Amino acid sequence: MRLPEGPSLRLLCFPPAGGYAAPYRAWCAMLPPEVAVHPMDPPDGCDDVDTVLAALEPSVAAVTDRPTVLFGHSFGALIAYELAHRLRDRRLPLVRLAVSASAAPHLVSPVTAGTGTAARAESARVTAWFELADGYRYRSRPPLDCPISVFGGLHDPTVARNELAAWQEHTVGAVRLRVLPGSHDLLREGGAYVVRALERDLADDAGQDT
């Protein structure tokens, strides 16, 4: 079946615990038109990652009609990782997983799952999301077969370089690790670089020159 005209890739973007996906809208102007950016806001009131993914299912199903890329920051990286397994199990075309400021899933602890303790006092909503993130438990499964882009902050106090490099254990594909100047908040401190690097990776996936 021939797809209708439009973007050739879907980029689904997930925010950190307690955050919103709206900042990803700026990526629309930073990426080529063939990449459609879809900020994904997990709903409040979920008990665990499984219920988050179940609540997101209608939104995800509506935009996975084309080859898909998943991006997540901090706890959003774990949501993207868990979704990647679901897409793989359904034989949907997953082009790449991209994660930032997150340890590999098997190394995640309550400290690394969130974005630090200061945000916990901001609101009941944020506190609930951090409690959900703290409850994340890794489940061993066969590795993914898509490549993974990994971004980390040189001065991130919660995620060490070896914890970023350990994402290699979760795919049989290639992993590209980039450690940037900055801390845990990479998207605010170096978001433009992250987008440019991700664009290069997607161009390589498509066999294009950058």
Side-chain angles (χ1 to χ4, degrees):
M1 181 177 70
R2 184 176 178 179
L3 288 170
E5 294 298 323
S8 57
L9 283 178
R10 305 286 193 187
L11 173 58
L12 279 57
C13 301
F14 298 88
Y20 293 100
Y24 290 119
R25 298 187 196 284
W27 290 21
C28 298
M30 302 168 69
L31 288 164
E34 58 266 25
V35 180
V37 179
H38 298 277
M40 307 295 287
D41 268 318
D44 296 332
C46 296
D47 296 323
D48 53 30
V49 172
D50 286 336
T51 55
V52 170
L53 292 177
L56 284 170
E57 175 63 26
S59 298
V60 171
V63 296
T64 48
D65 59 331
R66 299 168 190 268
T68 301
V69 181
L70 304 177
F71 179 91
H73 179 74
S74 192
F75 182 58
L78 301 178
I79 294 177
Y81 165 76
E82 294 292 336
L83 179 57
H85 277 282
R86 292 195 176 200
L87 297 186
R88 190 268 301 273
D89 292 345
R90 296 172 186 175
R91 301 180 183 274
L92 293 174
L94 179 61
V95 173
R96 178 174 289 270
L97 172 65
V99 298
S100 71
S102 175
H106 66 289
L107 299 177
V108 165
S109 69
V111 173
T112 58
T115 57
T117 57
R120 294 175 186 261
E122 289 181 3
S123 68
R125 175 182 176 275
V126 173
T127 298
W129 272 106
F130 271 91
E131 289 175 353
L132 190 155
D134 287 352
Y136 176 79
R137 297 294 181 267
Y138 168 68
R139 294 168 291 177
S140 180
R141 282 157 291 184
L144 300 166
D145 55 11
C146 66
I148 303 179
S149 300
V150 182
F151 302 93
L154 182 62
H155 304 295
D156 188 340
T158 63
V159 186
R161 185 186 180 102
N162 66 299
E163 294 175 319
L164 296 167
W167 277 96
Q168 182 64 74
E169 298 186 27
H170 296 279
T171 183
V172 297
V175 170
R176 289 183 177 174
L177 169 59
R178 299 174 176 93
V179 179
L180 315 178
S183 61
H184 195 81
D185 196 359
L186 289 178
L187 299 190
R188 181 177 60 83
E189 298 166 350
Y193 180 89
V194 171
V195 175
R196 288 196 300 270
L198 181 58
E199 182 181 0
R200 288 195 294 270
D201 290 348
L202 296 179
D204 288 347
D205 293 339
Q208 301 171 357
D209 294 329
T210 58

